[in-house]
Amino acid sequence: SKDPYRIIAGRMLGKRPEDVNDSERQMGKVCILAFGFGGGVAALVNMAGVYQMDLEPLAAIVLPTATPEQLEKADKAWQRAFLMGEDFELERAAYMACDVLKQAFRAANPAINTLRYDLNDAIIAAVADKNGAVYHVGRCKVWCNASFLVIELPSGRRLLYASPILKTEEVQDPLGGKSWKSRYVTYLTVRGRSWKRERAWSGLFVENVVQAIANDVLRAAMLRVHDDTLTAPEIVAYLSTLPEYARTAICLHVHDELGLDVPKGSYPEERFLRVLKQSEKWMEGLPIAADLWTNFRYGKR
């Protein structure tokens, strides 16, 4: 199966993707969206609300498959959350099931967690010295100057975080264990008509980088498709009937979907796929994939 939600659910439940049922697939989808950028139980609760997924039944599905180590960690996580009033009013077993899913997701996708920590370490080091030293994480470059924290993407585009400040706080363990020091970055961002200082964390930076790279991939594909469709005579003839500002075959894009409005049969699907999957130099090694469908009006397949 090429369905990423079934693949993830299978990894987490110890099943083959083709053996994952529909409810388990939905669980896999929600887990990807919640845990993909380092989120925990709080993220899963929020995402479950968006997708109207009831978390209480998870206990019966997840806990019987959990290891003793996972259960012990999940129980301590629930105790801490309960004492701090951060248990989201979940029953103990349901909270533990959510935490086990978090553990299972991270164990099944270790590279994601490694990237998150590596990027966070580079950002903290860059903000700490602010001398312009460049740190390399994956295919990104990280540095900081007097005004901005800069993350340069593989495409060369840059993400800027204004006036970064490194802060440290001591965190107390509600269970009575040793306290620890947490280091994090705050930065200024525009909210309404004013600037507001916000606290960042590792998952935020990874999410920003991943979404920005995905945006770069989509933009590059749109430019290639635009140029290629203008070499198709039937499409050019059709576009010539439209106002000059509207003379592109691309009529919309929704998230990662690109929509074309062209005469029937003027742009073969094989050609569209070939252009979509072409790789720019900075994309070398990225697992670029695409699929398509044809209809007389836009909709969800």
Side-chain angles (χ1 to χ4, degrees):
S1 173
K2 294 182 180 181
D3 185 335
Y5 303 139
R6 294 188 188 277
I7 292 172
I8 288 296
R11 286 180 185 173
M12 296 168 66
L13 298 175
K15 291 185 172 184
R16 299 183 306 169
E18 54 268 30
D19 294 332
V20 171
N21 61 39
D22 289 343
S23 63
E24 291 168 341
R25 178 192 181 275
Q26 182 68 4
M27 180 195 72
K29 177 178 182 177
V30 173
C31 285
I32 286 180
L33 297 174
F35 302 143
F37 300 117
V41 175
L44 184 58
V45 170
N46 290 334
M47 200 58 64
V50 172
Y51 284 89
Q52 300 181 339
M53 176 181 174
D54 186 2
L55 295 176
E56 296 294 341
L58 286 181
I61 300 173
V62 175
L63 296 185
T65 68
T67 66
E69 292 78 13
Q70 287 176 327
L71 292 174
E72 182 180 359
K73 288 182 179 180
D75 184 49
K76 287 185 177 179
W78 173 79
Q79 291 181 52
R80 291 190 177 96
F82 181 78
L83 291 172
M84 297 176 70
E86 298 175 353
D87 59 344
F88 309 103
E89 299 184 353
L90 290 172
E91 294 293 333
R92 173 176 172 270
Y95 188 100
M96 287 180 60
C98 293
D99 191 81
V100 167
L101 286 175
K102 177 200 71 179
Q103 295 179 54
F105 182 91
R106 293 181 181 180
N109 302 277
I112 295 176
N113 235 28
T114 299
L115 174 64
R116 180 164 63 92
Y117 286 124
D118 288 348
L119 181 59
N120 194 61
D121 289 345
I123 287 170
I124 287 177
V127 175
D129 57 41
K130 289 190 176 180
N131 61 7
V134 178
Y135 298 82
H136 296 263
V137 182
R139 297 189 181 186
C140 296
K141 299 176 183 178
V142 178
W143 70 90
C144 189
N145 54 39
S147 301
F148 294 99
L149 164 67
V150 183
I151 302 178
E152 185 172 286
L153 305 172
S155 65
R157 194 159 64 93
R158 295 173 179 177
L159 304 180
L160 303 178
Y161 302 84
S163 187
I165 296 176
L166 182 60
K167 294 192 173 184
T168 304
E169 69 176 8
E170 189 167 331
V171 182
Q172 301 293 331
D173 184 356
L175 296 181
K178 290 184 178 180
S179 62
W180 67 92
K181 289 185 177 180
S182 173
R183 304 177 79 195
Y184 61 92
V185 172
T186 68
Y187 65 99
L188 289 178
T189 186
V190 175
R191 287 290 180 265
R193 296 183 178 181
S194 62
W195 289 83
K196 178 183 178 182
R197 184 160 290 279
E198 293 195 357
R199 177 172 177 164
W201 68 294
S202 59
L204 171 86
F205 291 121
V206 171
E207 189 271 347
N208 287 178
V209 167
V210 170
Q211 299 289 8
I213 291 175
N215 180 271
D216 286 341
V217 171
L218 180 62
R219 288 186 186 194
M222 291 175 69
L223 290 173
R224 291 195 306 272
V225 169
H226 172 75
D227 290 342
D228 190 61
T229 53
L230 293 182
T231 65
E234 288 182 71
I235 296 177
V236 173
Y238 166 64
L239 294 178
S240 68
T241 66
L242 304 179
E244 188 172 351
Y245 66 83
R247 291 177 185 176
T248 177
I250 300 173
C251 60
L252 58 79
H253 67 86
V254 181
H255 300 301
D256 58 351
E257 293 182 331
L258 181 61
L260 302 186
D261 176 23
V262 296
K264 185 177 179 179
S266 64
Y267 201 59
E269 291 187 353
E270 297 78 11
R271 179 174 173 178
F272 190 14
L273 273 177
R274 185 175 66 252
V275 176
L276 283 175
K277 293 192 288 187
Q278 286 174 1
S279 180
E280 310 291 329
K281 185 175 181 180
W282 62 266
M283 293 183 198
E284 290 179 2
L286 284 180
I288 304 296
D291 194 9
L292 59 83
W293 58 279
T294 303
N295 205 346
F296 289 104
R297 62 186 297 173
Y298 177 76
K300 296 298 289 183
R301 185 169 57 171

